[in-house]
Amino acid sequence: MTTLVIAEHDNASIKGATLNTVTAALACGGDVHVLVAGSGAGAAATAAAAVAGVSKVIHADGSQFANGLAENVAAQVLAIASSYSHILFPATASGKNIAPRVAAKLDVGQISDITKVESADTFERPIYAGNAIATVQSADAVKVITVRTTGFDPAAATGGSAAIETAAAAADSGKSSFVGSEIAKLDRPELTAAKIIVSGGRALGSSEKFNEVMTPLADKLGAALGASRAAVDAGYAPNDWQVGQTGKIVAPQLYVACGISGAIQHLAGMKDSKVIVAINKDAEAPIFSVADYGLEADLFAAVPELVSKL
Amino acid sequence: MKVLVAVKRVVDYNVKVRVKSDGTGVDIANVKMSMNPFDEIAVEEATRLKEKGMATEVIAISCGPTQCQETLRTAMAIGADRGILVETSEELQPLAVAKLLKAIVDKEQPGLIILGKQAIDDDCNQTGQMLAALADLPQATFASKVEVADGKAQVTREVDGGLETLSVTMPAVITTDLRLNEPRYVTLPNIMKAKKKQLDVFKPEDLGVNVAPRIKTLKVSEPPKRSAGIKVPDVATLVDKLKNTSKVI
């Protein structure tokens, strides 16, 4: 029984989500191998080999993997899939894109977003926006799984000494091509990995106010900035800041929700945070039902005061 | 070009579901059902492609019990020309749905297939990708912008950290993200017209698909409850609590 983890990486280093996925893989039992499919990804493969618990790294290199196209990466996974009982992806945009493609080609069901490994074939995953937890068992020969990274601690990034094996790269599908990307430059912690997140909602009123009020608080706390769907839809904050069922799922030490009512879909993305603070002037807002500390106040007064007192 | 849109009947997104006390599932008897919100966006996008003259016909398809006909009628009221129901009372998992859709794709030969990125009940986010794999088509998931020209679709996708744009050769599978469009409201005259549109019904057996579930649900439980919090009177107390009681800052 061996588990394959598909590394998420930027060719130079592996991303944090990979480390959480390795922990889930170790919980499945058996050896853990990591696939690094990339373009000039030697450094990422070396980094993957150093992760504690990993026994082998398979490195496939080719320009067709440069942008992580689902068709090409799935083909690479399928080329080596026959040796594995479990194939795990982090439940990131990239993992969610590729895992079902691999599962369908193997003619097996896929299990999304697991939060717990009960045994080698039984897993827990949230359904209905996290309002229910399903325990599911797979009878398929190969378990293809995506791992909710906030459900597992990250494996240590150092201390391992896995062998690196080079695999022949699968051919380019030729059916899709990468045109370009607009990746926001961030000088703050990444949302899904941040220890503290301050998040703003519709009550901020404009993108200027969002920056003016929320940024100093984030700076003061060294926090990542998040937003509710309402704030994103209104253009106050970029799409990839959205926390919720259909955005990012986060579980920081501290989550500060400012002017967010707390719809089911938003709570699905943050209710596993250790401490939740809500600042809202509506005493009836559902966010107060999950907040450890609720402050009933106008955020335009309370947030600057909070910044000054920190 | 034909466009095929898959729609799912799910518990309305405003309903807070309850877990059944025997742990067999969530209680969806007498709960309001609606079209999955991402699928509404998919139908809207297909309709817009038709209005721009890019698509000749929009076909809505749903898999599930008889009541899915209502969901298909809604899709036809938004703008789909006809509907296909694959009727079954069995539990359908994404792989089974992808196989049913593949059988319909083989029959109808659409140029584009649009699905929602995920259904808000099982939260799987799999069916579109699985269909693309089974039909050996390229995929563009989590789309926030779609442009069709010269046998290719240029799709902007929402990814971690920002946006990326892909070009896929058609036929292709696209799954919609929230910000692709704002679905229109259905009007009463269109609801009336939708009642007259063609709706074909198939059974999984007609399509030669085995829909037996691969993944067994052993139990469904309530998520752990958070212990009740407190309201603090002012910012100073809040800061004190965070520093000294929870020690998170």
Side-chain angles (χ1 to χ4, degrees), chain A residues 71 96-97 107 112 125 128 133 135 137 175 177 179-180 182 242 245-246 271 273 292-294, chain B residues 99 117 121-124 126 129 136 139 141 163 165 167 179 214 216 218-219 221 226 230 232 246:
Chain A
E71 295 78 8
K96 289 176 185 175
N97 190 29
D107 193 28
S112 293
R125 59 176 302 261
Y128 287 92
I133 308 292
T135 307
Q137 187 174 41
K175 287 185 175 166
S177 58
V179 177
E182 285 173 52
Q242 186 184 325
Q245 182 186 20
T246 63
K271 67 181 176 174
S273 305
D292 297 277
Y293 304 116
Chain B
K99 287 180 176 178
K117 84 164 175 181
D121 52 0
D122 61 21
D123 281 335
C124 275
Q126 300 174 7
Q129 294 90 314
D136 222 6
Q139 68 188 48
T141 50
L163 300 170
T165 305
S167 171
R179 280 162 284 272
R214 300 298 188 83
K216 196 166 125 192
L218 302 179
K219 76 168 191 251
S221 52
R226 290 188 73 91
I230 54 164
V232 291
S246 325

Side-chain angles (χ1 to χ4, degrees), chain A residues 23 46 53 78 136 145 166 199 241 259 268 271-272 281:
Chain A
T23 302
T46 309
L78 289 163
V136 297
I145 292 167
T166 306
S199 214
W241 288 10
K271 67 181 176 174
D272 292 326
K281 63 180 175 188

Side-chain angles (χ1 to χ4, degrees), chain A residues 13-136:
Chain A
S13 61
I14 55 167
K15 295 201 177 161
T18 310
L19 301 174
N20 307 77
T21 310
V22 166
T23 302
L26 290 165
C28 293
D31 285 349
V32 174
H33 295 181
V34 174
L35 171 68
V36 177
S39 174
T46 309
V51 175
V54 174
S55 54
K56 184 158 92 178
V57 172
I58 297 157
H59 177 200
D61 224 283
S63 58
Q64 66 272 34
F65 302 130
N67 301 296
L69 293 174
E71 295 78 8
N72 296 344
V73 179
Q76 183 63 47
V77 177
L78 289 163
I80 60 170
S82 59
S83 324
Y84 298 97
S85 60
H86 294 69
I87 302 178
L88 270 55
F89 295 77
T92 54
S94 164
K96 289 176 185 175
N97 190 29
I98 302 163
R101 200 168 172 107
V102 170
K105 291 273 193 198
L106 294 171
D107 193 28
V108 301
Q110 191 235 298
I111 304 176
S112 293
D113 244 334
I114 62 161
T115 47
K116 193 174 167 194
V117 177
E118 290 241 321
S119 70
D121 66 355
T122 307
F123 310 91
E124 276 187 9
R125 59 176 302 261
I127 53 174
Y128 287 92
N131 285 306
I133 308 292
T135 307
V136 297

Side-chain angles (χ1 to χ4, degrees), chain A residues 270-287:
Chain A
M270 46 63 83
K271 67 181 176 174
D272 292 326
S273 305
K274 186 160 172 269
V275 175
I276 298 173
V277 170
I279 302 175
N280 203 305
K281 63 180 175 188
D282 174 9
E284 304 298 319
I287 191 80

